[in-house]
Amino acid sequence: MEKIKIAIIGVGNCTSSLLQGIEYYRHKDSREAIGLMHWDIGGYKPFDIDVVAAFDIDKRKVGKDINEAIFALPNNANVFCGDLPISGVKVQMGKILDGFSEHMKNYDEKQTYILSNENEASKDIIVSALVKSGAEILLNHLPAGSVQATRFYAECALESRVSFINNTSVFIASDPTWAAKFKRSNIPVIGDDIKSQLETSIIHRILASFFRKRGVEIERTYQLNTGGNTNFLNMLYKNRFALKKELKTEAVQSILNMNRLEDKNIHIGPSDYVPWQKDNKICFIRIEGRLFGDASMSLELRLSVEDSPNSAGVSIDVIRCCKIALNRGKSGGLYPLSAYFMRHPPKQFPDDLAYRMTEEFIAGQDILSDDLDRIEVDVRIPQKVISSKDIDRLLDAINNFMESCGFEYEAEFEVTKGSFYQKLRFLSKNQKTRDEMEEIYKKGKRALELQYLDKPTAEATNELTNAASNLINACNSLDEVVIRLGAILLVKVNIDGKSKLVVDTVSPDVIIKLESDTSLYNNPLKVYELLRSR
């Protein structure tokens, strides 16, 4: 299996732990793989990741081989795999912007960044480097508070058509404007602000959820974190961790639903920099509340973890899941993955649901649950000569059919020349559950079948019946056509001079097969036989 080619912004502690981990697990097998959430994700093992480009601004790292740079100061992550081979990838000078905070100049060089004297890279230089390297994914490891710098690199990802994983606390995937940019460019984006493997916010969320389910009224809570790496030093300046604090606070508040705490009764965020802790993070959680009979209670928890390996244990899965998304033609902010791996996703889900949705995504069973608000439509007419009138009629019929199912047109991708191929995307008028989606597919399929057979149906509304009739009539003017409406597949073929049409709801396996081998759309007979053989 081919390697996953990634580029990295920021060669700090998290990058150090990630690269050490890739090499460490290269010499293990699944039975020895301690500390991984997944050994195999879509056929990709932990060591099936190659770093092909890297950017930093510290003079002790720029110009060095990345496998050497990860051990340079001020990095102080635990070294658990120090014997890394030369990679041949030199760390390139990046763009500073707000990726460096002025207060960092006031600390010992062993603890802080030293800016390189090299000229900063322009957007054109970075885009060129990404394209030349063949990178498929750009991993953002910039310090908290790097708003301008993160947006700059997100633009570089868009221009170079590279997927973006935003591990820092800046709104990209969760910002509708940015998410729409990636959606329109047909590029996946996962974010924002990566969770740790043993995540303090998840522990806090689980405790809050447990209290709520057991009838405990939470009155106030805090989460205090201390550490001695550059991440904690960077966040001594309050403006640098304002977003971080907002993200971590919302992660807990979202679990409380209607019982959200007043701002004065909840404090969650970085608390102090303790140099001798180095990469060790210590977390203190306290929850106070009321039990049966208004009896008071309190809980205190202390957690000590190595901060950077704790992050890398998640990154190594996010990267592989992002690659699967690329392989399946996914784009925009991937809700299940962002909800499971990130603190501030486009949509928050309960942790157990986010876990289940991610497992379904990995298994290829997420067609009905990955981004439930959207349906993708593929239209293939394998004719060299097609009248624009017939195409317009078919696209109008598809639009009306989707409208009758509760979806509205959102976007379209560039038309493939020659035989006609068009990919469209429709947005739900209101959020759907998985059961509701399955019911929509069931009714839509039945309405199309009965209209083709010219039989009445009591299951569908007049609007859906008329829309199904218009779509079937639009197909009648074409010799052959393949249309995928989410999980509904409609195929019309011509066999021995006779028209045949079949409509069916298809499994994730069939859809993945079609998405991974789009040449099948050029041969409706093969798709027809595929459906008839099921």
Side-chain angles (χ1 to χ4, degrees):
M1 182 167 283
E2 78 279 9
K3 298 289 186 180
I4 305 169
K5 296 179 180 180
I6 69 168
I8 299 179
I9 313 158
V11 186
N13 284 316
C14 292
T15 297
S16 176
S17 291
L18 175 62
L19 268 60
Q20 288 185 65
I22 292 170
E23 184 63 23
Y24 177 81
Y25 289 107
R26 193 185 311 279
H27 308 286
K28 304 289 182 182
D29 59 32
S30 59
R31 294 167 298 178
E32 302 173 303
I34 296 172
L36 289 171
M37 294 190 287
H38 298 91
W39 172 255
D40 185 307
I41 296 181
Y44 296 102
K45 308 299 190 296
F47 45 81
D48 288 329
I49 300 171
D50 276 351
V51 179
V52 295
F55 306 92
D56 204 277
I57 59 173
D58 193 298
K59 73 176 187 180
R60 292 163 292 189
K61 298 172 183 176
V62 174
K64 288 185 177 179
D65 187 276
I66 189 169
N67 283 354
E68 179 185 358
I70 60 172
F71 299 116
L73 290 172
N75 290 7
N76 56 11
N78 182 43
V79 177
F80 58 90
C81 185
D83 189 20
L84 269 63
I86 297 299
S87 71
V89 176
K90 300 288 187 183
V91 178
Q92 302 174 60
M93 181 62 184
K95 188 80 169 175
I96 298 174
L97 296 171
D98 57 354
F100 177 81
S101 179
E102 287 296 313
H103 81 277
M104 299 284 282
K105 293 181 178 178
N106 302 323
Y107 291 84
D108 189 287
E109 291 184 352
K110 294 180 180 179
Q111 300 170 338
T112 189
Y113 310 121
I114 305 175
L115 295 180
S116 172
N117 294 323
E118 289 197 22
N119 293 331
E120 292 183 56
S122 65
K123 182 187 289 184
D124 288 344
I125 290 174
I126 290 173
V127 169
S128 176
L130 290 172
V131 172
K132 185 178 179 181
S133 71
E136 303 167 281
I137 299 167
L138 182 58
L139 186 67
N140 183 23
H141 274 161
L142 285 172
S146 304
V147 178
Q148 295 174 22
T150 294
R151 290 172 179 170
F152 168 82
Y153 282 106
E155 286 286 359
C156 291
L158 285 166
E159 290 196 20
S160 56
R161 301 196 62 78
V162 170
S163 303
F164 194 63
I165 298 175
N166 183 37
N167 283 353
T168 197
S169 51
V170 177
F171 300 154
I172 298 293
S174 59
D175 181 320
T177 301
W178 278 100
K181 290 181 180 181
F182 282 92
K183 201 78 170 175
R184 285 195 299 269
S185 299
N186 206 25
I187 302 170
V189 57
I190 301 175
D192 300 304
D193 195 22
I194 193 165
K195 294 175 181 176
S196 299
Q197 189 173 5
L198 192 57
E199 165 68 17
T200 54
S201 293
I202 292 179
I203 293 172
H204 207 152
R205 281 163 58 92
I206 290 172
L207 288 171
S209 176
F210 174 72
F211 279 29
R212 179 171 55 84
K213 291 174 181 176
R214 304 299 292 181
V216 180
E217 181 74 18
I218 297 177
E219 295 184 315
R220 60 189 67 88
T221 186
Y222 66 61
Q223 181 191 133
L224 310 177
N225 301 293
T226 65
N229 55 30
T230 49
N231 183 43
F232 280 89
L233 179 60
N234 172 66
M235 289 187 291
L236 280 179
Y237 187 53
K238 288 190 176 181
N239 285 354
R240 302 293 295 186
F241 75 80
L243 272 178
K244 186 85 165 179
K245 187 175 187 298
E246 179 182 342
L247 295 176
K248 290 175 73 69
T249 301
E250 179 57 29
V252 175
Q253 288 276 41
S254 65
I255 288 295
L256 299 176
N257 295 330
M258 301 301 293
N259 298 313
R260 294 170 70 95
L261 298 174
E262 294 183 35
D263 290 346
K264 66 180 181 180
N265 290 326
I266 182 168
H267 178 90
I268 299 175
S271 301
D272 212 344
Y273 170 67
V274 183
W276 60 261
Q277 280 185 227
K278 295 186 177 179
D279 198 40
N280 178 241
K281 172 181 176 179
I282 298 178
C283 167
F284 302 89
I285 294 175
R286 180 178 175 87
I287 302 177
E288 297 180 5
R290 295 282 175 176
L291 297 165
F292 182 78
D294 205 26
S296 62
M297 60 74 56
S298 66
L299 175 146
E300 291 192 350
L301 178 149
R302 179 186 185 275
L303 173 67
S304 173
V305 293
E306 290 299 311
D307 202 18
S308 300
N310 207 18
S311 169
V314 178
S315 283
I316 207 162
D317 278 17
V318 182
I319 292 166
R320 291 181 286 165
C321 284
C322 188
K323 173 61 174 174
I324 291 177
L326 276 170
N327 291 346
R328 296 177 185 168
K330 302 290 185 181
S331 63
L334 307 178
Y335 290 172
L337 301 183
S338 291
Y340 184 57
F341 293 124
M342 301 289 168
R343 294 189 182 102
H344 196 269
K347 284 188 178 181
Q348 289 279 9
F349 292 95
D351 296 297
D352 55 347
L353 177 57
Y355 167 76
R356 180 162 56 83
M357 292 169 72
T358 298
E359 291 299 313
E360 289 175 353
F361 175 89
I362 292 171
Q365 299 171 349
D366 65 310
I367 299 301
L368 298 180
S369 61
D370 179 38
D371 195 351
L372 293 175
D373 289 341
R374 289 173 169 85
I375 282 184
E376 288 190 352
V377 172
D378 292 293
V379 185
R380 173 71 80 178
I381 308 172
Q383 294 173 215
K384 295 299 181 184
V385 180
I386 316 164
S387 73
S388 58
K389 181 179 179 181
D390 286 342
I391 290 174
D392 289 342
R393 183 185 180 194
L394 179 64
L395 293 179
D396 285 344
I398 289 172
N399 185 67
N400 290 336
F401 181 79
M402 296 303 296
E403 283 271 350
S404 69
C405 290
F407 288 82
E408 58 189 2
Y409 170 82
E410 182 187 25
E412 67 182 46
F413 301 98
E414 185 178 354
V415 176
T416 301
K417 304 302 180 185
S419 61
F420 180 85
Y421 176 66
Q422 175 78 77
K423 182 183 280 288
L424 310 168
R425 182 174 287 114
F426 289 82
L427 179 68
S428 173
K429 295 176 182 178
N430 49 65
Q431 189 172 354
K432 305 284 194 299
T433 65
R434 188 185 315 177
D435 289 343
E436 288 171 338
M437 287 296 295
E438 290 176 343
E439 186 64 22
I440 286 172
Y441 286 134
K442 178 182 175 182
K443 287 184 177 179
K445 172 205 167 187
R446 189 63 177 156
L448 289 168
E449 283 179 328
L450 293 174
Q451 286 305 308
Y452 175 64
L453 298 172
D454 197 22
K455 292 182 179 181
T457 174
E459 299 174 17
T461 62
N462 287 336
E463 183 183 8
L464 179 57
T465 299
N466 292 335
S469 176
N470 290 336
L471 182 51
I472 294 297
N473 289 335
C475 290
N476 286 337
S477 63
L478 302 167
D479 293 333
E480 295 183 314
V481 65
V482 178
I483 303 173
R484 181 174 76 85
L485 307 153
I488 298 175
L489 199 59
L490 182 154
V491 185
K492 182 189 177 187
V493 295
N494 194 301
I495 302 175
D496 298 329
K498 294 183 178 181
S499 293
K500 304 280 186 179
L501 186 144
V502 63
V503 182
D504 205 352
T505 50
V506 292
S507 67
D509 289 343
V510 173
I511 297 175
I512 291 168
K513 185 173 183 179
L514 289 168
E515 288 185 346
S516 61
D517 184 8
T518 53
S519 66
L520 283 172
Y521 283 113
N522 285 326
N523 194 332
L525 184 58
K526 281 189 177 180
V527 182
Y528 178 83
E529 290 172 346
L530 177 66
L531 290 182
R532 299 293 292 178
S533 66
R534 293 173 66 246

